[in-house]
Amino acid sequence: MNDNTAIISEIKRLLGDEPKLAYVRSFGCQLNTSDGEKIKGVLKNAGYGFTEDESEADLIILNTCAVRENAEDRVFGIVGSMKKLKELKPELIIGIAGCMTAQSHVAEKIKRSYPQVDFVLGTSAINGLPRLLLDALNGAGFEADITEYDDFSGTVEQVRGSSFKASVPIMFGCNNFCTYCIVPYVRGRERSRLPEDIVSEVEGLVREGYKEIMLLGQNVNSYGNDLGGEMTFPQLLRRLNDIEGDFWIRFMSSHPKDASKELIDAIFDCEKVAKHLHLPVQSGSDDVLRRMNRRYTAEKYLGIVNDIRSRDPEFSLTTDLIVGFPDETDEDFEATLDIMRTVKYDNIYSFIYSKRSGTRAAEMPDAVSEEEKGKRMRRLLEVQREISTEFYKRFIGRRMRVLVDDKAKKREGFLTGKSSEFIIVEFEGDESLIGRFVDVEITGAMNWAVTGRVI
Ligand code: SF4
């Protein structure tokens, strides 16, 4: 971890007394959003305030996502449109961060084609941001820093988007190399944070009044594999559960290949761990799972589900599903619908396969038409609607503890929140309840949420 103190005070000197504003926009997953909060932490430390309007900004940082090709195209479009802003305000500084930058051809393309960009910052190089910023303020010209700083020893200040829900990365990178996924190539190998750093960060957040802690990792189940057996993920859950306070612990994502019995035990034993598991299955077909390099079969996956459901038949499960993987047959697709009907997910996050250059799947032959993939996606959503319309009825008459998130979008005087089961709950209530736990008696069910009244 390099000492940025001198650089930060030099930046403050150059910024002078007039407040300078930064616009930081993060795309993609929760881990990237958490990185965006850290980037804001570094900028706040350097004396910047923040704006949501890029035309007001003195500094713009786009924190990018590379999970799909069109996500990248969209960012290049936005960067292109910022040429005008720079012409109007030549001292404006523009930086590109996030997963796109970890691909060497991207930094080259930006340097060559987007002269309005001052620097590129890699996914693990947030600690290099002060240096890049100072150089840009001094007009040093285009720079790229995609160094893998070990900048997660201890905690980095984060400017968080919520005052009651906090995301806490516990590890970075991924060793799984699913054939459709670019993440291992842009986020590197798995590195776990030290347990004591995570514990002290969560203790600090609970002291500040945070009600929900979301532990983040590409695959939290392999947490600690690189710590010489110091601590496993289920052990970390139990350690965090011992922290005094009234809060919930959630985590994302859990790869089925190493979702252990110890993990299930910890979920059921720890009262602070939310009673919901997001277990991405991706497909119900063993042949597709093999070609995805997911390293489990549908049977193994259902074994985990049966273990959970033998303890609580109505335990809340959600998943990720890819439709239209190269050469997915009708039988493969039917196997996916079958696993949905067997598991009964409360919700699914579903995607039509998107070819991502640089991945192995991008080289695979694919005879399935886009039209057929679209048809399958509609069928999949239909099946899920049937399942959740029925399954959500189980909550009627129940008393559910809900963390109030916000005002309901479409109903005046109503609030929305999530239960421990990660179910959306809508009810009448005053905005002063936002950020607090309330008990709600469930009186109605839709296929995407339940309704009730505060008791
Ligand atoms: S587990 Fe697979 S899908 Fe998830 S980040 Fe790693 S390679 Fe990508």
Side-chain angles (χ1 to χ4, degrees):
M1 182 150 174
N2 51 346
D3 178 7
N4 285 319
T5 321
I7 298 175
I8 294 279
S9 41
E10 180 56 11
I11 292 173
K12 283 181 175 163
R13 189 186 66 75
L14 287 174
L15 293 183
D17 302 337
E18 202 176 304
K20 290 282 188 294
L21 296 176
Y23 170 86
V24 179
R25 181 172 173 189
S26 291
F27 300 81
C29 68
Q30 294 184 54
L31 256 173
N32 217 30
T33 305
S34 169
D35 285 350
E37 293 177 345
K38 280 191 199 131
I39 288 171
K40 281 185 160 181
V42 172
L43 299 179
K44 181 179 169 211
N45 204 12
Y48 280 89
F50 299 100
T51 174
E52 292 305 315
D53 177 351
E54 66 258 38
S55 67
E56 287 179 356
D58 303 285
L59 165 65
I60 292 176
I61 297 188
L62 298 180
N63 184 28
T64 63
C65 166
V67 84
R68 262 176 277 284
E69 212 98 13
N70 57 15
E72 282 199 9
D73 300 341
R74 189 162 153 237
V75 166
F76 280 124
I78 295 169
V79 177
S81 70
M82 287 180 171
K83 193 159 183 268
K84 196 119 213 65
L85 285 179
K86 190 100 174 192
E87 282 159 8
L88 293 169
K89 198 177 194 172
E91 70 281 14
L92 170 66
I93 294 173
I94 299 177
I96 309 293
C99 290
M100 268 175 69
T101 65
Q103 305 159 91
S104 53
H105 71 273
V106 170
E108 273 317 305
K109 177 173 177 178
I110 291 173
K111 183 176 181 188
R112 200 179 50 249
S113 318
Y114 299 90
Q116 64 269 40
V117 174
D118 297 278
F119 62 76
V120 157
L121 178 75
T123 48
S124 305
I126 294 174
N127 218 28
L129 176 56
R131 161 57 58 198
L132 289 172
L133 196 47
L134 181 59
D135 290 353
L137 285 165
N138 287 326
F142 179 86
E143 273 187 281
D145 184 350
I146 48 178
T147 316
E148 276 209 14
Y149 295 94
D150 188 4
D151 61 3
F152 47 77
S153 52
T155 53
V156 174
E157 184 191 349
Q158 274 177 258
V159 177
R160 296 182 186 275
S162 164
S163 61
F164 56 92
K165 290 173 33 164
S167 54
V168 175
I170 63 169
M171 61 185 296
F172 299 84
C174 185
N175 295 354
N176 288 314
F177 290 92
C178 302
T179 56
Y180 52 83
C181 183
I182 196 75
V183 171
Y185 305 94
V186 293
R187 288 226 168 233
R189 297 293 65 70
E190 287 170 3
R191 295 105 63 212
S192 303
R193 293 179 64 196
L194 297 174
E196 57 270 26
D197 292 336
I198 298 168
V199 171
S200 74
E201 183 174 350
V202 173
E203 282 171 343
L205 289 165
V206 172
R207 271 197 305 278
E208 284 175 50
Y210 278 85
K211 292 279 180 284
E212 180 173 292
I213 305 295
M214 171 64 88
L215 305 176
L216 294 178
Q218 305 295 352
N219 173 23
V220 293
N221 294 342
S222 43
Y223 173 79
N225 288 358
D226 56 329
L227 295 177
E230 186 179 337
M231 188 171 279
T232 64
F233 182 57
Q235 290 167 344
L236 178 68
L237 283 178
R238 290 181 185 279
R239 178 64 194 81
L240 297 174
N241 188 63
D242 294 341
I243 295 173
E244 285 295 309
D246 183 14
F247 65 99
W248 277 341
I249 302 167
R250 296 189 185 279
F251 56 89
M252 186 85 80
S253 271
S254 191
H255 195 302
K257 83 173 191 346
D258 37 24
S260 63
K261 180 183 171 310
E262 289 73 24
L263 174 68
I264 315 287
D265 292 346
I267 293 172
F268 281 90
D269 294 350
C270 299
E271 80 281 355
K272 293 193 178 84
V273 174
K275 299 303 171 252
H276 158 251
L277 178 63
H278 183 66
L279 199 63
V281 69
Q282 304 298 5
S283 170
S285 151
D286 285 351
D287 178 55
V288 172
L289 289 172
R290 184 181 49 72
R291 292 187 301 115
M292 285 178 166
N293 189 32
R294 291 291 287 173
R295 284 177 280 164
Y296 54 83
T297 59
E299 190 189 351
K300 163 132 196 267
Y301 183 91
L302 289 172
I304 301 164
V305 173
N306 292 342
D307 180 356
I308 293 169
R309 288 280 168 76
S310 66
R311 304 179 201 210
D312 174 357
E314 297 182 341
F315 186 89
S316 181
L317 291 164
T318 56
T319 198
D320 295 342
L321 289 162
I322 293 177
V323 166
F325 189 73
D327 278 358
E328 179 191 61
T329 64
D330 290 343
E331 294 71 36
D332 293 329
F333 178 60
E334 282 307 320
T336 296
L337 298 181
D338 288 348
I339 210 164
M340 288 166 67
R341 294 188 187 102
T342 307
V343 176
K344 285 196 175 61
Y345 296 106
D346 274 315
N347 201 355
I348 61 169
Y349 303 87
S350 50
F351 311 89
I352 291 185
Y353 169 74
S354 158
K355 194 172 174 172
R356 189 69 191 81
S357 57
T359 64
R360 281 169 43 210
E363 310 307 318
M364 293 179 185
D366 185 8
V368 186
S369 69
E370 289 308 313
E371 192 211 344
E372 177 56 28
K373 295 183 186 198
K375 221 171 79 199
R376 288 178 185 171
M377 176 58 100
R378 289 188 293 280
R379 178 89 187 94
L380 184 112
L381 296 174
E382 216 173 84
V383 168
Q384 180 57 32
R385 232 189 325 275
E386 289 156 17
I387 291 168
S388 36
T389 302
E390 260 330 291
F391 206 33
Y392 271 45
K393 289 181 182 152
R394 72 189 190 281
F395 296 114
I396 295 177
R398 272 205 208 167
R399 179 185 175 131
M400 292 178 102
R401 192 157 201 243
V402 174
L403 178 55
V404 186
D405 279 327
D406 206 343
K407 292 188 287 184
K409 287 208 175 40
K410 296 201 180 93
R411 303 167 84 189
E412 192 61 36
F414 277 69
L415 299 172
T416 182
K418 287 212 181 62
S419 70
S420 170
E421 297 86 355
F422 210 56
I423 301 294
I424 297 172
V425 184
E426 290 207 348
F427 50 94
E428 239 173 317
D430 184 77
E431 286 175 44
S432 62
L433 295 174
I434 293 175
R436 292 167 53 189
F437 288 117
V438 293
D439 290 324
V440 178
E441 184 190 350
I442 306 304
T443 54
M446 300 169 278
N447 68 326
W448 56 274
V450 294
T451 55
R453 61 184 186 82
V454 175
I455 47 178

